Structure formats: structure tokens, C-alpha cells
Amino acid sequence: MSIDTKYMKRALMLAKKGRGKTYPNPAVGCVIVKNGVIIGEGWHKRAGGHHAEIHALEMAGNEARGADVYVTLEPCSHTGKTPPCSEALIRAGVKRVTAGMSDPNPRVNGGGLRALQQAGIATFCGVLENECRAINRSFLKFMTTGQPYVTYKCAMTLDGKIASVTGDSRWISCEASRRIVHRMRADNNAIMVGVDTIIADNPQLTVRHINGNNPLRIIVDSRLRTPESVAVLSGQMAGGTMIATTETNPKVHARYLKAGARLLICNSDNGRVDLHDLLNKLGGLGIHSLLLEGGSHLAGEALKHGLIDECVFFYAPKVVGSDGFSPFTMTGTTDMAHSINFCDLNMRRVGTDIMVTARPERQCSLD
């Protein structure tokens, strides 16, 4: 292992401490090394607070002069809620800055590294780049496409069913898996389900099994069939709920607005919410990450149109048979040559379940 790789791995470990806490900023870690010893390190802990480089510089103090800096993302070169990190590094007199990847933010986009170079600081970019990109996929997608990063999650039986023939799905997965799902909810800006899931399950779509913030709840309901009595429209919960619809009748809107929910009017695609338009509108609202929890029709449409970036499947040691519900309602695939392939497959045991993560091959090709 090279020295650069060694210290970038440490910076990545630090960056991961900030995941889910820095929105709308990326998670970043920084390590400062002098004479083979780490003299400063830090990570971005929350939006509006010091960036990783500043925390590391404060720890290093005057020893930062002449030191090497390892940071998972190119230092910023613009003034936002905090001053530019590139300027702080220049003032500290560091000798060399190694970045894991460049920053796709148009306000940076190479500007941080150029500022360092112009000040006579040696720079290098691209150490463990794939790993650095992986921890900020939602930020990168938002910055390059204006759309949120979409993760589809579902629990299913060993024979691939998300519910029995009656629609019963509580509980397929074990408690340990459900805790992970609640962590995923807390780490995403929004959680989305279709109206059929709301009607069938009346879910709360909140973070309960861990400490964390509730994401915005989005219901995809083309014709506004959501009952006013459901949990996500009750009391204060309604204020954190948005209904995406093609319905334009103000009289129909009124009952949901009165409850305190928000409505998002989207273009129609054969009578259904146009999911491309929905993701563009959610991106316009500043939503970087979206957790899709079903149902199978919504998931099938999203997968078919190439809108799912990552899937997380929890397989439980149960079988319900062929008349249960599948995770994706799609038709028209007549042979394996036309199936949707996946890549970046990872598996691990969670309680009594097996957790599988994978990305559609189309998304992998965009990296």
C-alpha cells in the first residue's frame, strides 16, 4: 500500500462519520501528515459548520506549515456559509495537497486545486477516487444532473415476494434489518411510496428504531386517492408530507391542503405521474437523496425508466409461494438477453436476514 493510499483511507474513514449529517454539503474527511506522523485530522460534521480541512488545521496548529494534506474531496474555493478551505490551506503554508476527487460543484470544479497550485502548493487528485465518489453518490448525482439519488429498498422472502397474496408484509424482515432501514430513512432527504402502499399498509414513514431526523414523506398519487384518515396526514405529520399528482382540480386539492400537506403537480405519462418530471421537480426543491420504499408498480416503473440508482434487498428465510407479490411489477421481458442487469453486488448477514446491495448496470456505466 502506498503512503498516499494509507492516509486517504484514513480520510475516508473520517468522512463516513459525517454521512447523513452534512446535507446539502458532501461528507468529507481530511488528514494532515508531517514527517510520517498524523498531526491533524477532521471531518465535516454538519452543514454550516467548519469543513474537514478547517478541523484538521485547527488540530495541527503551526505544525501544518510544510505538511502534506489528504482530503477526500477537492478543497472548496468559494465562500458559502464558511470561507474557502483552499485559502485556509494556503495561509497555513502546507506543502502538498492530495485530493481523492475533484468537486463537481460548478462553484468549485477544479478552482480549489488551481488556487493551491497558483500559491505554489503541489497538488494531486485521484487517490482512491472510486471510494471517494461512493460515499457522496447523492451529492455527485445532484450536482451533475439536478436530480436526487434514488435508492430502492424492499424486504422479501427467499422466493422473491414482498407480500403474501392478501398483501400482508408485516413483518418479512427481522428487527435488525428494520433498524438499518430506519438508518437509511434518516440518511435520506425524502422517502417515497405509491398510493397503493399508503392504502394497503397505512405506514408512518418515520424514523423510530434509531435517533435521527424524519425525511420528507412523498406519496405518488396520480389521481389523489389518498384517504384523508391515513397516518401521514394526521396532525403534525401532514406538514412533512407531500403528494405528487397529476390532478389539477383545486377543489380536490383543498382537502389535503387543509390537512397541512403539500401538493406537487407533475406532468402526466399515460395518466400517471411522469417520474422523470417528478425527480426534476424534487431536485429543484433541493432534494439530493430519495429512498423509494414501494410499491411494486412504482418500483417497476422507476426501474424500467432507469431512475433507480441503487437497490437494497433484505432476504428473509421465509417462503410464501407463487401467488405473492414481486418487488417489481414489469412486463414485456421475454428472454434473459433483455433482462436488467446489476453490478456492484454486495452481501452481508443482518440478524436472520441477508442484505444485498446492487446497482443497475446502466448506473455503473455512468460512474
Side-chain angles (χ1 to χ4, degrees):
M1 180 190 301
S2 71
I3 294 297
D4 287 351
T5 298
K6 172 185 174 181
Y7 293 122
M8 191 60 72
K9 280 191 172 183
R10 176 60 185 169
L12 276 163
M13 288 178 60
L14 294 168
K16 290 175 182 178
K17 293 185 177 185
R19 284 196 299 190
K21 304 171 186 175
T22 63
Y23 169 78
N25 298 335
V28 181
C30 180
V31 173
I32 302 178
V33 180
K34 193 171 187 179
N35 299 324
V37 177
I38 294 177
I39 59 171
E41 58 183 28
W43 68 93
H44 189 32
K45 299 178 180 179
R46 60 178 179 83
H50 287 326
H51 289 187
E53 297 93 323
I54 306 304
H55 285 298
L57 286 170
E58 287 179 345
M59 181 176 173
N62 294 333
E63 288 298 307
R65 184 164 300 277
D68 294 333
V69 178
Y70 296 87
V71 60
T72 55
L73 183 71
E74 172 187 3
C76 62
S77 56
H78 65 287
T79 300
K81 292 184 178 179
T82 59
C85 292
S86 55
E87 290 186 5
L89 292 168
I90 292 168
R91 287 196 304 271
V94 303
K95 179 179 67 175
R96 180 175 183 257
V97 173
T98 299
M101 59 170 290
S102 60
D103 189 341
N105 186 337
R107 301 177 71 183
V108 184
N109 197 24
L113 293 174
R114 283 194 298 273
L116 295 170
Q117 292 162 3
Q118 290 167 2
I121 297 172
T123 65
F124 184 77
C125 186
V127 175
L128 297 182
E129 182 171 1
N130 289 340
E131 291 86 342
C132 291
R133 293 180 66 86
I135 64 170
N136 283 310
R137 282 188 177 133
S138 59
F139 173 77
L140 299 179
K141 184 184 178 186
F142 180 81
M143 283 296 166
T144 54
T145 70
Q147 291 186 349
Y149 186 88
V150 179
T151 302
Y152 173 57
K153 157 266 157 187
C154 74
M156 68 177 96
T157 59
L158 288 179
D159 54 342
K161 303 303 177 183
I162 60 172
S164 69
V165 66
T166 63
D168 180 43
S169 61
R170 295 186 179 177
W171 296 104
I172 292 177
S173 58
C174 69
E175 186 176 345
S177 293
R178 296 198 292 276
R179 282 198 298 272
I180 291 177
V181 169
H182 282 246
R183 167 50 59 197
M184 293 170 66
R185 288 179 178 181
D187 286 348
N188 279 268
N189 306 148
I191 179 174
M192 186 166 77
V193 297
V195 63
D196 290 336
T197 296
I198 291 292
I199 293 171
D201 298 340
N202 192 20
Q204 296 182 56
L205 304 178
T206 55
V207 176
R208 300 184 301 280
H209 294 299
I210 62 157
N211 292 323
N213 295 323
N214 289 323
L216 172 68
R217 294 176 290 275
I218 301 170
I219 305 170
V220 180
D221 184 0
S222 302
R223 297 183 297 278
L224 287 183
R225 297 186 291 120
T226 302
E228 298 164 63
S229 59
V230 296
V232 294
L233 293 180
S234 64
Q236 294 183 342
M237 289 186 68
T241 300
M242 175 182 288
I243 305 177
T245 184
T246 61
E247 176 62 68
T248 58
N249 188 337
K251 292 182 179 179
V252 182
H253 294 175
R255 62 177 180 263
Y256 298 107
L257 296 174
K258 184 178 180 180
R262 287 177 280 173
L263 291 177
L264 187 63
I265 313 303
C266 300
N267 295 338
S268 174
D269 179 12
N270 293 320
R272 295 175 177 268
V273 167
D274 184 323
L275 295 182
H276 285 280
D277 183 55
L278 172 57
L279 290 188
N280 285 332
K281 284 184 166 65
L282 293 177
L285 295 173
I287 293 173
H288 289 192
S289 56
L290 175 66
L291 181 61
L292 173 58
E293 289 204 17
S296 60
H297 287 282
L298 180 59
E301 284 296 302
L303 183 64
K304 182 173 69 176
H305 289 290
L307 300 178
I308 292 178
D309 298 291
E310 183 176 357
C311 291
V312 180
F313 302 121
F314 295 90
Y315 285 93
K318 302 172 183 178
V319 169
V320 297
S322 61
D323 54 359
F325 288 89
S326 298
F328 301 101
T329 298
M330 294 190 306
T331 59
T333 302
T334 58
D335 52 75
M336 286 298 169
H338 295 92
S339 63
I340 297 174
N341 294 325
F342 281 72
C343 59
D344 283 357
L345 186 70
N346 288 285
M347 294 176 286
R348 69 181 173 104
R349 185 75 176 264
V350 177
T352 57
D353 300 339
I354 296 173
M355 177 180 170
V356 177
T357 62
R359 301 172 63 211
E361 202 167 68
R362 176 181 178 275
Q363 307 307 122
C364 297
S365 67
L366 297 177
D367 285 350

